[in-house]
Amino acid sequence: MPKDLPRTLALAVTALFLLYPLWGLASPVGRWQWAAADASSALATSFALTGVALIIVVAIGTPLAFSLRGATRGVRIAFEAAVLLSVLMPPLALGLLLALAFGPGTALGGLLLRLGIPTSNDPAAFVVTQIYASLGYYLLGAAAAFEAVPRELEQSAALLGLRPREVLWRVTLPLARLGLAAAVSLAWVRALGEFGAIMVTAYYPHGIPVQLWVDLQDSGLPAVLPLLLIFLLSALPLPWALRILARSRGHA
């Protein structure tokens, strides 16, 4: 028996296990209602606002994750505890807490309203909710990616005359690229698919997850499955592209 056969079989079985739910698209639910699945507005809302949220998450999370390497053990433990708390929070609970914390009865919520910034059922509320839902995932992934970079290589680069910024761009980021790509992908999928918290804070404008729920209630599975297929085909290219790009850069 080839020595790689057990490993190949284990990987194949795991992949099939993870992909098996897609078989649900072939379930006999009746004729698909493609006309009812016209969700261009929901797609545009989800992808545009998720893109904004992801840019903010990466812009905030990357320097924070990098700076965590130099923090003391106590600071790291406290910060990671706060991040884990946000990650472990159930989506519905997150939505309720955000609605209360940013509500008009609070000082911050009242100030935002006076500035003309609605705190619910508004694109701004949609983006803020997605940031809260995905930032913790990105921080954990990015911090792990930076932590895996050997300090010895960075020190050697500095001894060879590279300035700290050059070490970051020429050594640290290239070595952390796969982990950072995974962190971005996870944050993208987490934000794009957020449903529970969005239902509470930003039911309008409808994103794809909420639109799926509305169609399920109004028209049933024959109308939901086409939209679900469109959603899956639209959401996957970015994580795939990031992963392939990160790997190809490593072999360039």
Side-chain angles (χ1 to χ4, degrees):
M1 181 176 65
K3 63 178 182 180
D4 285 342
L5 183 58
R7 176 172 54 190
T8 303
L9 287 175
L11 292 173
V13 169
T14 303
L16 289 174
F17 172 77
L18 293 174
L19 294 175
Y20 176 73
L22 293 176
W23 186 250
L25 292 171
S27 299
V29 297
R31 186 181 182 86
W32 284 17
Q33 299 176 16
W34 287 95
D38 181 13
S40 56
S41 175
L43 278 170
T45 296
S46 276
F47 282 95
L49 297 183
T50 303
V52 173
L54 187 66
I55 291 172
I56 296 173
V57 164
V58 173
I60 294 174
T62 304
L64 279 175
F66 180 74
S67 67
L68 197 61
R69 302 176 77 202
T72 63
R73 185 171 180 270
V75 170
R76 286 178 61 90
I77 291 174
F79 182 76
E80 289 174 357
V83 173
L84 283 172
L85 181 61
S86 72
V87 168
L88 296 174
M89 192 177 300
L92 184 57
L94 174 62
L96 291 171
L97 291 173
L98 286 175
L100 292 171
F102 287 94
T106 65
L108 179 58
L111 175 62
L112 291 173
L113 285 178
R114 288 193 294 273
L115 294 175
I117 304 174
T119 57
S120 65
N121 294 328
D122 183 80
F126 196 107
V127 170
V128 169
T129 303
Q130 288 188 315
I131 291 172
Y132 272 101
S134 61
L135 179 59
Y137 290 85
Y138 179 77
L139 281 170
L140 291 177
F146 284 127
E147 191 64 32
V149 176
R151 300 291 182 96
E152 296 80 5
L153 293 179
E154 295 173 316
Q155 293 169 356
S156 297
L159 289 174
L160 290 173
L162 294 182
R163 290 174 293 182
R165 181 175 299 179
E166 293 175 323
V167 173
L168 174 64
W169 284 102
R170 298 177 61 179
V171 179
T172 308
L173 288 176
L175 291 175
R177 67 189 181 281
L178 283 176
L180 291 175
V184 173
S185 300
L186 185 60
W188 165 259
V189 172
R190 184 67 184 83
L192 189 64
E194 178 55 47
F195 172 71
I198 292 292
M199 279 281 289
V200 177
T201 63
Y203 188 80
Y204 297 103
H206 283 342
I208 284 292
V210 172
Q211 188 65 50
L212 284 168
W213 172 255
V214 171
D215 287 355
L216 180 63
Q217 297 298 307
D218 293 345
S219 307
L221 286 173
V224 168
L225 290 182
L227 180 57
L228 180 59
L229 179 61
I230 294 170
F231 181 40
L232 292 174
L233 293 177
S234 302
L236 288 175
L238 178 62
W240 276 343
L242 286 173
R243 192 71 177 178
I244 292 171
L245 180 61
R247 285 197 176 277
S248 64
R249 286 290 178 87
H251 297 292

